[in-house]
């Protein structure tokens, strides 16, 4: 990452879909994901997303898929959805070889700033697979709170991957945006 200039942020377009799918897959699935610490390769196989899913996020009203660029290349992304009094944060990915260098913190800060300043929301929500304790701890260090509210993992829907265990569920995390 070019730390002098910092990352650049812009809304994704349909032209970005192939590169975004590759980035998201590389951050969460397969051997390439093991270069970073956000891998889900031990709990989920198959795909994390697909071109249709990414394009749907880009085209959805009240949604923004943010592209993060540094040195002229795509290095990260995140999804923001305006949901009334709060924003939803998802589809968060940082190129595995750049994880641990502060880029993820910068992406989260920009997402929170945008949701607060552009949409006027006071709270951010996200869901995390509950067995991802290391990831949940990272979000907690960024000010997110575990709510204890869970929702079912979409077992049988291969658009979200093929689970290697039967105890997956999503937990809601929230953060007040000051």
């Amino acid at each position: 990452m070019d730390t002098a200039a910092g990352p650049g942020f812009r809304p994704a377009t349909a032209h970005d879909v192939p590169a975004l799918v590759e980035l998201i897959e590389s951050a969460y699935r397969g051997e390439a994901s093991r270069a970073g610490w956000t891998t889900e390769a031990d709990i989920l196989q198959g795909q994390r997303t697909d071109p249709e899913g990414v394009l749907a996020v880009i085209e959805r009203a009240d949604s923004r898929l943010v592209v993060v660029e540094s040195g002229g290349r795509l290095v990260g992304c995140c999804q923001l959805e305006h949901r009334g009094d709060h924003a939803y944060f998802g589809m968060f990915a940082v190129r595995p070889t750049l994880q641990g260098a502060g880029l993820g913190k910068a992406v989260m800060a920009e997402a929170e700033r945008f949701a607060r300043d552009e949409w006027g929301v006071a709270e951010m929500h996200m869901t995390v697979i509950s067995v991802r304790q290391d990831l949940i701890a990272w979000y907690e260090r960024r000010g997110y709170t575990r709510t204890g509210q869970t929702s079912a993992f979409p077992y049988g829907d291969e658009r979200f991957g093929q689970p290697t265990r039967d105890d997956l569920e999503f937990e809601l995390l929230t953060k007040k945006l000051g």
Side-chain angles (χ1 to χ4, degrees):
M1 183 174 90
D2 178 12
T3 54
F9 302 94
R10 66 172 174 81
T13 67
H15 176 75
D16 296 312
V17 169
L20 286 165
V21 170
E22 182 276 324
L23 170 69
I24 295 163
E25 292 297 315
S26 76
Y28 290 96
R29 299 288 198 276
E31 286 306 308
S33 70
R34 294 183 191 280
W37 67 274
T38 61
T39 184
E40 295 173 343
D42 293 329
I43 61 172
L44 290 162
Q45 297 176 351
Q47 71 179 31
R48 175 70 160 33
T49 192
D50 56 33
E52 296 78 16
V54 172
L55 185 60
V57 170
I58 291 170
E59 294 178 339
R60 186 176 304 136
D62 292 331
S63 176
R64 181 179 183 103
L65 185 54
V66 178
V67 168
V68 185
E69 295 173 315
S70 181
R73 64 185 195 130
L74 193 149
V75 296
C77 68
C78 71
Q79 167 196 12
L80 292 169
E81 250 182 61
H82 190 186
R83 296 183 176 176
D85 63 348
H86 72 274
Y88 177 81
F89 178 84
M91 209 175 277
F92 182 31
V94 170
R95 195 153 303 281
T97 55
L98 298 177
Q99 292 176 13
L103 182 58
K105 292 176 195 172
V107 173
M108 291 216 60
E110 172 59 16
E112 292 167 2
R113 183 212 60 79
F114 180 88
R116 182 187 61 246
D117 296 351
E118 302 298 322
W119 288 341
V121 298
E123 192 169 78
M124 187 78 83
H125 290 194
M126 70 171 71
T127 56
V128 180
I129 297 173
S130 62
V131 299
R132 298 291 319 277
Q133 296 301 317
D134 54 344
L135 187 57
I136 291 171
W138 189 86
Y139 287 127
E140 287 179 311
R141 290 191 300 274
R142 313 271 104 48
Y144 285 81
T145 303
R146 298 180 83 161
T147 65
Q149 295 177 4
T150 60
S151 56
F153 185 86
Y155 282 94
D157 188 342
E158 291 192 7
R159 292 177 303 159
F160 302 100
Q162 301 161 351
T164 61
R165 46 194 292 176
D166 63 4
D167 62 342
L168 302 182
E169 63 184 358
F170 293 108
E171 182 173 351
L172 175 66
L173 279 64
T174 63
K175 179 180 180 177
K176 299 283 186 205
L177 302 177

